[in-house]
Amino acid sequence: MAKKKRKKTGLAPGSLVFTGNQYLDNPLIQAFRYDEQLLEEKEAAGNLFAPRIPEKKYWYDVRGIHDKDLIEQIGTAFGMHPLVMEDILDPEQRPKIEEYEDGIFLILQALTFNQDTCTLETEQVSIYIGTNFIWSFQEKPTDLFSAVRERMRKEDSRIRKRSSDYLAYALMDSVVDHYFLVLDEIELAIANLEAAILEDPNSQVKADVHSLKLQGVWMRKTITPLREAVGQFSRSDHPLIQSETQIYLRDLYDHVIQIMDLNETYRDVISGLYELYQSELGMKMNNIMKTLTIISTIFIPLGFLAGVYGMNFDVMPELRNPNGYMIWWAVVTTLVIGMLFIFRRQKWL
Amino acid sequence: MAKKKRKKTGLAPGSLVFTGNQYLDNPLIQAFRYDEQLLEEKEAAGNLFAPRIPEKKYWYDVRGIHDKDLIEQIGTAFGMHPLVMEDILDPEQRPKIEEYEDGIFLILQALTFNQDTCTLETEQVSIYIGTNFIWSFQEKPTDLFSAVRERMRKEDSRIRKRSSDYLAYALMDSVVDHYFLVLDEIELAIANLEAAILEDPNSQVKADVHSLKLQGVWMRKTITPLREAVGQFSRSDHPLIQSETQIYLRDLYDHVIQIMDLNETYRDVISGLYELYQSELGMKMNNIMKTLTIISTIFIPLGFLAGVYGMNFDVMPELRNPNGYMIWWAVVTTLVIGMLFIFRRQKWL
Amino acid sequence: MAKKKRKKTGLAPGSLVFTGNQYLDNPLIQAFRYDEQLLEEKEAAGNLFAPRIPEKKYWYDVRGIHDKDLIEQIGTAFGMHPLVMEDILDPEQRPKIEEYEDGIFLILQALTFNQDTCTLETEQVSIYIGTNFIWSFQEKPTDLFSAVRERMRKEDSRIRKRSSDYLAYALMDSVVDHYFLVLDEIELAIANLEAAILEDPNSQVKADVHSLKLQGVWMRKTITPLREAVGQFSRSDHPLIQSETQIYLRDLYDHVIQIMDLNETYRDVISGLYELYQSELGMKMNNIMKTLTIISTIFIPLGFLAGVYGMNFDVMPELRNPNGYMIWWAVVTTLVIGMLFIFRRQKWL
Amino acid sequence: MAKKKRKKTGLAPGSLVFTGNQYLDNPLIQAFRYDEQLLEEKEAAGNLFAPRIPEKKYWYDVRGIHDKDLIEQIGTAFGMHPLVMEDILDPEQRPKIEEYEDGIFLILQALTFNQDTCTLETEQVSIYIGTNFIWSFQEKPTDLFSAVRERMRKEDSRIRKRSSDYLAYALMDSVVDHYFLVLDEIELAIANLEAAILEDPNSQVKADVHSLKLQGVWMRKTITPLREAVGQFSRSDHPLIQSETQIYLRDLYDHVIQIMDLNETYRDVISGLYELYQSELGMKMNNIMKTLTIISTIFIPLGFLAGVYGMNFDVMPELRNPNGYMIWWAVVTTLVIGMLFIFRRQKWL
Amino acid sequence: MAKKKRKKTGLAPGSLVFTGNQYLDNPLIQAFRYDEQLLEEKEAAGNLFAPRIPEKKYWYDVRGIHDKDLIEQIGTAFGMHPLVMEDILDPEQRPKIEEYEDGIFLILQALTFNQDTCTLETEQVSIYIGTNFIWSFQEKPTDLFSAVRERMRKEDSRIRKRSSDYLAYALMDSVVDHYFLVLDEIELAIANLEAAILEDPNSQVKADVHSLKLQGVWMRKTITPLREAVGQFSRSDHPLIQSETQIYLRDLYDHVIQIMDLNETYRDVISGLYELYQSELGMKMNNIMKTLTIISTIFIPLGFLAGVYGMNFDVMPELRNPNGYMIWWAVVTTLVIGMLFIFRRQKWL
């Protein structure tokens, strides 16, 4: 994850370099101009930087962040600090919030669970809140905000009625909601693994527990700063945040805390899985050793007894006894029964 | 647990959707109108929303929270915030307290221990405190508040004398009291498991320790936010909370702390059980290996000695010796005695 | 421990019910009336509630707390809050301090180490400090305060010179001193167990380590709230606490911190014991396996060699060789020496 | 690391003694005199202490800190506190910031990853910020600040435009950037080790995991105080720190937090590696034991059966049976098939 | 450690009883009277309590603290609080600082590493700072302060120039410096143990790791309160502490933090040693088991094959075959080669 940083070491801070992977050819830009009555949509166009109408609110959404010239143009036109532009271009940022005089800048990491590789994938989402406008930047082509768009298109949508900070909240909320889906996947995986361990604790199961454990570690790494950022946002007294939005932000904060709790709980549960796996393995080893010991303890002495009467000494009276062979078998049978009795008393059988 | 969230992902916050399981056909509503002199009870009725008499206090208790229209009607009639209604309908909330201008909203999770499955079950309880009225919402049909109801029916009941916040305290107290019962069950289970481990650390015992450990994890997940909520409630200076109630709330807070301590202590004890189980297993393995080693160490060399004199070389002088067989047995016996002596010195016997 | 709570679940808070075990038939009450000049003692009597002389100070000590009527009488006569009375009757309280307008209420848990069962026993001590009087309640018949009584009887006793809060301090101090004795016992047990593990890590040792670990867990459960209570007491600005007493309370607080440190240190040491035990067991297992492997590795191949020449093929030229038997022994001896050489190089011998 | 302290024990604090290793013969001194228009460079020279022109800014960089007389001269000429000089000479300091009336003193530890030994190497960097000048001291001859120098030589460099505190920030930033490179190396090592464990968990792998774990421990030891120092620096209201620099310092602080998070995450991951290694070993042991048990369980009883009919009793009817040998083989084959069947059912095959 | 407390249980607080071990026959008292110009030394004498000259500063150093009458005399003459005297006499105190109106009382624990027993030894040092005088009490006869004394005897000593609080700082600094020596010893022991584990993880190594772990535990127990005490001292605004001393105290505080960090780091490293030891043991066990399994898996089946042709059935056609013996050997050789091939593929060879 930190690997891409290398490209930048040695550059002046604030230098604009894209340090991530490029997921699509050209950035997709979608612009909304809206007020309570009217919503106008248009796909990326040249007039992005045309003067804005003060009574209207604007939402610009960019998918694909590899075009550093575009980011620079946007940033300059909308008065963003150079460090903001640098952060948008670096998809390895921790979730954070930064307040500037005339804007608030938010970085989030959206999580999705890749079913094929059983790993978490992150997508950086940056949101810049200005006076009556919002810029959102998504790293990948999939649209995280389609549900928000749907809601905006409805006549009586609360998003259109309220100011930009509420839209920012709605965007954050839809990112946070994805975490619950990921936790669902993890919960499912835990249940499956627990069953698998109790049935057959093989090598695959161990690798899966290990991998699941790692997901919890990575997830915590993302959630902890998210909690701080959302908490700071909900307590902020920046003029761009209205007090009626704060109650929603506090609710969002509660959700993040809940996600964090669940993740910590799942981490404990996964630790428990690991221990369960270890005991299951120990138990299996125990059973293997018991089998070995029972067989050896019975048959090695018997083998000795057979060996004795396979010796070729000239004088061995037992061999001459016509009932010797019968007596020998009687002794052997008695021994076996005695041993089985002892084993049972030891609870080995 | 988080599974039900899925249904909601993508909806606007504040949208009313029931995301839990439905436990009964129709919500049961019980309404109390009371003052110090008189207590009137009635089952759910249409006149819930009839104007209230200012000198009287009201307690409305709802069992079953799946009817989102009902919740919406109640919420609107009694001036609850949309987020309150949303939380009532979502039985996966963390315990919390939220203060609004003209009301206080509380979420608790009642715990019960299911004897059959040896697992904890939670039931969400929401309490809304308004001026001279309280709404309580229970998720399941069993009545958690029957004892409170009994006490209210008594003439000189403190609940009837005091204002609504005291009733809220009484409801919380009866939820918290159930935690002690759960801890009793856990304590009992610990004692049983410790005995079982020392007697026979088998596979079932291991599964039980694992399961008990999980209960402690889930319980902590519920108690930690409960502590925060009760603590915040007891320190609150909301006008609806009277100062003479606060001493009771502090006492309640002490109980929650005590529950938390006990749970943490039990978690330590259960961890100890797990270690005990591991050592017991190790000790058993040790005994098995000792048995195997003693038998093998004695009989494999003896088997070799028998094998030697079972060889068919033409010239083997010992075989011709008339006392050879006797001498052979003497050697074998000496060897066995010598080995037993060594084993005893090694404390293997 | 929490088991007795069950009896109360469902009752109104502040209801007086005794929830502990009864240790003696009738409560023992001892009353002291004293000032700097004079000390008058009397055993429990009816005139406990006779009007007090304002210039005198009073100490009432009760042993045995099962008589709820007595407690109620006392509480009512001396103006205690209902919750205080409830707490006195419930011997499962966490150590705590509660300040009321005209009194301070303290709960402590005295610890004693039962040599026979190697477990900790707790005894609840409640202290109520009022203006010029103190009530102390001991759960069991043994007198924790005999040393304090002795000191009071001396002419120039500091207790008699100072106000009631100093007496309360002296009582607390004598409870806290018992913790050091318990820690001594634990230290002794640790030293014994360490020696036992290094000598012979058997099953009894394991059970003892487990039990000692539990004692540390329970002890922490008692000390943590004790620290809070003593700390709060030493910082309190309640009018009943005089500033010259506070320096003593701070000293007491230092002692509690020292006890807590020692307990945490011992817990770490006991954890180390457990690990030592595990390694000792592993080492022993290693030795057992080494013995088995050495014996098997030497004699199983030799057994095979003997078996070869015990075969009955018609044509086996070695058997006909008159030196065959000698040569065979030479080969066997060489093999054994070679293997011993290898084992030594592997540090198995 | 603390070893060198010994040389100093017993000396008065503030005594100047060099306690590190000498990495180069003579200290290299590079001086920059600059303002927005002009940059003058010169290598170490005698006129270091010539009077400074107030409108110019100065940066003096020293590589090699073993010359205590030089440090003392510098310190005295530029008004540093004796403790500052002592700290510069002691390359075992924790990262820290100290504010004096007319200067700010910073200690950092630069990290590099030595590929050959797979260990971290630290280099102490001390920075003293005065009015219009900066002194930086590097312990080793390699230049950590070459990139900063490059940027300064550019005409429109932000460093030259701003005051000295921005230069100090740039120096710190280039030290912190090296941490990301180290984390990259660690991430690479983790990936390699995980693959190695799953392929063949041998003795080398174990040593590598152990060594990697240690690096995480040492790294945390360096980062934790670094975080404190940078945090304190970014919040400082010292007159030498300008408010427009603080936004950059906050960004630096974010980077340090990110490094810390990554290190903690990697530590968790490495712990997971260790557990993975343990399970892999356990799994391998299991397989070894299974092989042993299967072979022994099959062939020891068969060996016994062969031994029985190698006995020399006079009367053994089976031996006389012309089909005896065939029947014997039939029995043996049946037994083997039966056992294989059992093993498969136990999932041992 | 807490053992000696027993002697005191039951006494009034503030009672003077010596509870430690006596290390020398008579206390050694050394007195210094000094100002910037002149230093007068004298060994213990009767005129300790002669009136002091207000312009001079005094340092009295006592070695040996068993003489309670002496301590009482000193304490009374120099106005110490009874609790101070009690603490001086009890060598089991936690490091702490206590501020009185006209004095400051400090308790430290000096650490030394006993090379013979590989354990830490503590020596309590108490320092009482009054107006223009200092009393220091050392428990044992070895002089911890010889270096300070040397420095004082120099003409231009900073100690003589400054007020008593600087001398107190110098004494504390020389105690703290000894901790670095102890950490050096621990670091050396870690390096030796790591080498020993990788070479031969025997029983002695395990005991050494265990013992080293304990030293870290005890050390933390001493450092944690030391940190608090030094921190509190460095922030104190007591009139006896001058502001120019505080910068030195802050430096001392940094040293204590550094010691604490190093100790925590070493504790982590020692934990790593333990895990390394466990894996090394596991690895060795693995190798032992592999040897056993290889030998058994090869020779037990071969033994069976030899047994088969040692049977005495009348009809065994193979035995009659003149090439039977050769063919048998061919089969055996093929089997062995095949098995070796399998073992190599399993990486057991």
Side-chain angles (χ1 to χ4, degrees), chain B residues 95-240:
Chain B
K96 65 175 175 183
I97 174 173
E98 269 173 11
E99 299 184 12
Y100 294 91
E101 235 167 87
D102 51 359
I104 301 174
F105 179 56
L106 281 159
I107 289 189
L108 308 173
Q109 294 287 350
L111 282 192
T112 42
F113 194 80
N114 186 323
Q115 291 277 13
D116 298 331
T117 60
C118 273
T119 50
L120 294 175
E121 291 181 355
T122 60
E123 173 177 357
Q124 178 157 318
V125 174
S126 321
I127 298 172
Y128 188 86
I129 312 170
T131 318
N132 284 334
F133 71 89
I134 277 193
W135 275 93
S136 59
F137 299 87
Q138 306 182 48
E139 189 186 353
K140 298 181 185 171
T142 50
D143 189 2
L144 292 163
F145 300 143
S146 50
V148 175
R149 254 184 267 279
E150 281 315 309
R151 271 152 52 201
M152 276 187 88
R153 289 185 187 120
K154 292 195 189 126
E155 276 290 301
D156 61 342
S157 154
R158 211 184 286 156
I159 300 175
R160 272 160 61 185
K161 286 187 210 142
R162 306 211 166 191
S163 59
S164 293
D165 55 342
Y166 187 84
L167 172 57
Y169 153 72
L171 296 179
M172 290 170 79
D173 192 56
S174 74
V175 167
V176 167
D177 267 356
H178 277 83
Y179 282 70
F180 284 106
L181 298 181
V182 170
L183 286 170
D184 284 357
E185 303 282 353
I186 290 178
E187 199 190 2
L188 198 66
I190 289 174
N192 290 342
L193 273 178
E194 184 165 350
I197 289 173
L198 290 172
E199 197 194 334
D200 177 21
N202 58 29
S203 192
Q204 183 53 43
V205 170
K206 182 197 57 205
D208 287 355
V209 171
H210 177 69
S211 159
L212 201 57
K213 203 170 201 166
L214 285 189
Q215 304 319 311
V217 171
W218 290 116
M219 190 144 177
R220 189 183 53 172
K221 176 168 159 284
T222 312
I223 303 174
T224 315
L226 180 66
R227 186 195 51 174
E228 287 168 34
V230 174
Q232 204 182 324
F233 194 28
S234 72
R235 286 185 307 272
S236 166
D237 53 358
H238 195 284
L240 282 172

Side-chain angles (χ1 to χ4, degrees), chain D residues 185-199 205 208 212 273:
Chain D
E185 302 282 353
I186 290 177
E187 200 191 1
L188 198 66
I190 288 173
N192 289 342
L193 273 178
E194 184 165 351
I197 289 172
L198 289 172
E199 197 194 332
V205 169
D208 287 354
L212 201 58
L273 277 192

Side-chain angles (χ1 to χ4, degrees), chain A residues 182-315:
Chain A
V182 170
L183 286 170
D184 284 357
E185 302 283 353
I186 289 177
E187 201 191 1
L188 198 65
I190 288 173
N192 289 342
L193 273 178
E194 184 165 351
I197 288 172
L198 289 173
E199 196 194 334
D200 177 21
N202 59 29
S203 191
Q204 183 54 42
V205 169
K206 182 197 56 203
D208 287 354
V209 171
H210 178 68
S211 158
L212 200 58
K213 201 170 203 167
L214 286 190
Q215 305 318 311
V217 172
W218 291 115
M219 190 144 177
R220 188 183 52 170
K221 176 170 158 283
T222 313
I223 303 173
T224 315
L226 180 66
R227 185 194 52 173
E228 288 168 34
V230 173
Q232 204 181 324
F233 195 28
S234 72
R235 286 186 308 271
S236 166
D237 53 358
H238 195 284
L240 284 172
I241 305 177
Q242 303 195 335
S243 62
E244 54 259 44
T245 309
Q246 274 179 325
I247 203 163
Y248 289 95
L249 289 174
R250 247 165 44 207
D251 194 60
L252 181 65
Y253 183 69
D254 279 350
H255 285 179
V256 176
I257 293 283
Q258 193 176 351
I259 287 166
M260 203 162 167
D261 278 8
L262 273 173
N263 190 44
E264 287 310 306
T265 303
Y266 287 162
R267 276 165 51 91
D268 278 358
V269 174
I270 296 168
S271 269
L273 276 192
Y274 181 78
E275 287 181 350
L276 187 67
Y277 173 80
Q278 288 292 81
S279 339
E280 203 63 47
L281 212 65
M283 184 62 84
K284 246 179 105 176
M285 181 77 113
N286 238 332
N287 285 335
I288 291 173
M289 294 308 299
K290 261 197 306 211
T291 309
L292 176 61
T293 301
I294 289 168
I295 294 290
S296 301
T297 305
I298 291 177
F299 285 101
I300 292 179
L302 297 190
F304 164 73
L305 274 192
V308 166
Y309 297 102
M311 293 196 295
N312 300 318
F313 283 101
D314 281 358
V315 184

